[in-house]
Amino acid sequence: MSARLRPPESARATALAHPNIALIKYWGNRDPYWRWPANGSFSFNLDGLWTRTTVHFRAELEQDVLWLHRRRVTGEGLRRVQRVLDAVREQAGFTWKAEVISENNFPMAAGIASSASAFAALAVAAAAAAGLRLREPELSRLARLGSGSAARSVPGGYVEWRVGAHEADSFAYTFAPAEHWALADCIAIVQETPKAIGSSAGHNLAETSPLQAARVADTPRRLALVRHAVQTRDFELLAQVVEQDTHLMHAVMQTSTPPLLYWTPASVRVMQHVRAWRGQGQPVAYTLDAGPNVHVLCPADDAANVATALAEVPGVQRVLIARVGGPARLLPPEQALSPKGPAASEG
Ligand code: DP6
């Protein structure tokens, strides 16, 4: 640790990050403490949806304070944030506590991984506030300590998170920029209430499924297919591998002890409709994370029509549309959040 005990004068920074949708899923950890994943994964960032976070290291604070949507958060949520703050403080060589203020522009229980954008924005803001000049891989690793999928929300566009030879070597990078392929994610929301078992608890159950080892062993093949599909903009190939990957993860979830069944009848209805539409020649594919809402991928130009069709499926409450988004980024000081400040608009 360096001798520096206090952050630089300008100890405040604000960052914005997008959530992401995994095309090849992260499920299970080699080492849960470090969130070193069992397998590599692949995603794209979701433009238009974001978390904005301000981090302010202050000498007079006796403890770290977290505000989410202007409400004070303690307990496990605060502890995860502290994992990232502690890593930053250790690297920067000071002990000042921080005030962290965060907000999302999308519903947190909508089956969109808000932890991905939250910890990507936190990592970028905290490192800058502490005066650390970290490169993208280091920021990706830092975000990963708070939430695995957050590693993928640091770089922009189409992103791969490699397992790495050891935990320090496990970070995400841009496989192709957002402009490479104009896809969209139409998120069919069938349930807005928070899920009963979150991802972190779910990851710890993965090993109890006899199918997890086979899923992990086959991941390099699926990753190679997704890379090829993205590289060549082959939607049909993408659809096949993305849906297979979804079913492999949910098969593991459903055969864990205790079993996790995230689907509702409406989720299944949406999946069946998407399969039928693709059978009629429409380029659409579905994927589901640890929740019942269905992410329907399609060419961006088709998104409005796909969303209209999805909204007519019984049980779909509403549909969000997101195109492929860019990297996490710092925002100018005037866009900083304050705990009591007005609700923000995108920067
Ligand atoms: C199903 O990154 O949310 O969305 O590391 O415990 O925060 P933690 O888990 P998280 O897991 C994501 C699981 C997933 C698949 C994926 O996004 O790859």
Side-chain angles (χ1 to χ4, degrees):
M1 205 144 101
S2 91
R4 188 149 58 89
L5 287 176
R6 46 173 52 200
E9 267 166 36
S10 157
R12 187 165 76 157
T14 301
L16 179 147
H18 302 291
N20 64 73
I21 180 64
L23 307 177
I24 300 295
K25 308 295 186 186
Y26 150 54
W27 197 246
N29 285 304
R30 291 180 180 208
D31 184 336
Y33 179 77
W34 291 103
R35 289 189 157 82
W36 188 26
N39 60 277
S41 55
F42 196 106
S43 58
F44 67 74
N45 287 351
L46 300 177
D47 195 31
L49 309 178
W50 48 259
T51 299
R52 183 200 309 224
T53 299
T54 296
V55 175
H56 195 179
F57 289 105
R58 287 162 46 183
E60 73 276 18
L61 282 178
E62 287 181 0
Q63 53 185 344
D64 293 316
V65 180
L66 170 62
W67 300 92
L68 184 54
H69 291 275
R70 288 179 245 162
R71 294 170 84 141
R72 185 92 182 257
V73 178
T74 55
E76 181 55 22
L78 176 64
R79 272 192 294 280
R80 282 174 74 169
V81 163
Q82 284 173 318
R83 185 79 204 285
V84 174
L85 295 175
D86 286 345
V88 166
R89 282 187 280 247
E90 194 185 331
Q91 281 191 56
F94 67 76
T95 55
W96 282 13
K97 302 296 184 193
E99 182 173 56
V100 176
I101 309 153
S102 191
E103 61 178 32
N104 303 318
N105 76 337
F106 58 93
M108 286 168 63
I112 309 159
S114 59
S115 65
S117 49
F119 285 99
L122 175 70
V124 170
L132 293 175
R133 294 226 175 103
L134 301 187
R135 293 175 308 117
E136 189 181 87
E138 295 163 324
L139 289 168
S140 173
R141 175 182 174 268
L142 187 59
R144 197 198 79 211
L145 300 178
S147 175
S149 55
R152 297 190 311 245
S153 278
V154 171
Y158 294 85
V159 172
E160 179 173 1
W161 171 19
R162 288 191 192 273
V163 175
H166 45 86
E167 92 47 45
D169 191 29
S170 184
F171 55 83
Y173 72 98
T174 296
F175 176 77
E179 316 76 70
H180 170 73
W181 194 9
L183 292 184
D185 178 6
C186 301
I187 307 161
I189 298 189
V190 300
Q191 191 177 299
E192 298 226 24
T193 50
K195 52 200 175 198
I197 305 230
S199 305
S200 300
H203 287 296
N204 292 334
L205 297 179
E207 280 298 324
T208 66
S209 165
L211 305 183
Q212 169 73 346
R215 189 193 71 88
V216 169
D218 181 63
T219 307
R221 180 190 68 87
R222 299 192 308 284
L223 277 169
L225 288 174
V226 161
R227 281 189 219 108
H228 184 72
V230 170
Q231 188 76 55
T232 59
R233 302 184 188 89
D234 182 340
F235 193 92
E236 182 55 35
L237 176 61
L238 188 78
Q240 283 172 24
V241 64
V242 165
E243 289 183 3
Q244 186 185 47
D245 188 83
T246 294
H247 285 285
L248 282 167
M249 180 181 73
H250 283 271
V252 168
M253 292 165 159
Q254 290 164 18
T255 52
S256 294
T257 308
L260 304 174
L261 180 59
Y262 287 109
W263 303 344
T264 65
S267 317
V268 176
R269 254 193 314 272
V270 174
M271 290 189 249
Q272 285 170 331
H273 274 84
V274 169
R275 282 265 168 107
W277 295 333
R278 194 158 80 254
Q280 294 157 12
Q282 177 85 24
V284 279
Y286 60 76
T287 183
L288 292 87
D289 283 339
N293 300 317
V294 187
H295 295 251
V296 179
L297 313 178
C298 66
D301 285 346
D302 299 346
N305 286 340
V306 169
T308 304
L310 283 170
E312 282 167 17
V313 177
V316 173
Q317 295 167 8
R318 61 195 178 111
V319 182
L320 301 176
I321 300 179
R323 289 167 168 250
V324 184
R329 64 180 201 269
L330 283 170
L331 296 176
E334 58 271 22
Q335 293 195 30
L337 297 169
S338 71
K340 307 270 179 264
S345 57
E346 183 171 7

